Amino acid sequence: MIHQSSMTSNLSFYISSVSLSPLPSIRRLSSLRCCSSPLPSHDMEAKQGQGLYPLHRCKTIHLVRHAQGIHNVEGEKNHDAYLSEDLFDAHLTPLGWQQVDNLQKHVKASGISKRIELVVVSPLLRTLQTAVGTFGWEGDKNGVDAPLLMVAGAGNSDRPAISSLNCPPFIAVESCREHLGVHPCDRRSNITKYRELFPAIDFSLIETDEDVLWKPNVREENKEIAARGVKFMNWLSTRKEKEIAVVTHSGFLYETLNSFGNDCDPAVKNEISTQFANCELRSIVLVDKCMNSSNPSVTNYPGKIPAGEDLPSDIAARK
């Protein structure tokens, strides 16, 4: 179960140059920062706001808000519609599926789809549909029998089945869900049902079949979802994968990302945390500054093979 508590982190976010469940126990960290370079004393020093970090402590995270759902349409007409049980576990609209198709074209054209090693998805119908539609395989399987990411027609759609062929693993995580409580559109279906509709998605991190996190009379506060989001980012930093897609929700993204970048230039802060549109993808670099991850570098080379004298001249001159 998700515990709502204040949490801080020494992770950092940067906008990348790329185009556009219980979590493991994680130690309490000290502060949220985007960058922490000292003021330069002369022109040759790094400018304020620049930072250098070991490559193996950085990950590229592709953040995606789900495509248009039926709740988005009804809620824009009348905000009280969010209280309707008719919108329980809202599915994508036909327009939403068109948005997914266009995002899929983008991730293929930009090469993102070939680099992603893991897709993390919120276990609600609209995010599951967006994730498999964007990062799944709808082409010719050439006779290869691969598990289905989505069965045909799942979630009131007219979509064909989507294969897991040549796709990264997909894993559902409760901690990146939308605000919990009150709104039926944010209450998930049973995991048993999801496993039937999305057979190749891993739901093993979700402890209960029924949704025990959603409460009918209590809406999760912004500070609570922000703390949950920072904890989720800490968990991402412990993963071995270097390039990860996360398919989640507007409220979760807004509150989580606003926890970062507070000492950046306002324009950079805005790039990180501005509200997401439906089916928007935003690429960031997640920097682990507190050694949450123990994964070694795969690019560093120790040198001195074979060994020999290598005292630098500047050190020798001081001796």
Side-chain angles (χ1 to χ4, degrees), residues 18-20 61-65 103 106-107 110 112 116 134-135 245-246 276-284:
V18 177
S19 300
L20 295 197
I61 310 294
H62 302 285
L63 300 170
V64 179
R65 180 192 174 192
L103 179 57
H106 168 74
V107 299
S110 63
I112 292 174
I116 287 175
T134 300
F135 301 107
V246 177
F276 276 62
N278 277 133
C279 221
E280 179 180 352
L281 182 152
R282 198 175 302 168
S283 300
I284 60 166

Side-chain angles (χ1 to χ4, degrees), residues 157-171:
S157 73
D158 60 357
R159 307 293 287 199
I162 298 175
S163 172
S164 62
L165 180 67
N166 299 324
C167 296
F170 285 62
I171 187 168

Side-chain angles (χ1 to χ4, degrees), residues 8 21 41 52-53 86 92 185 208 220 273 291:
T8 55
S21 126
S41 60
L52 291 176
Y53 301 96
D86 292 339
L92 297 187
C185 61
T208 61
E220 187 177 26
S273 57
M291 299 184 70

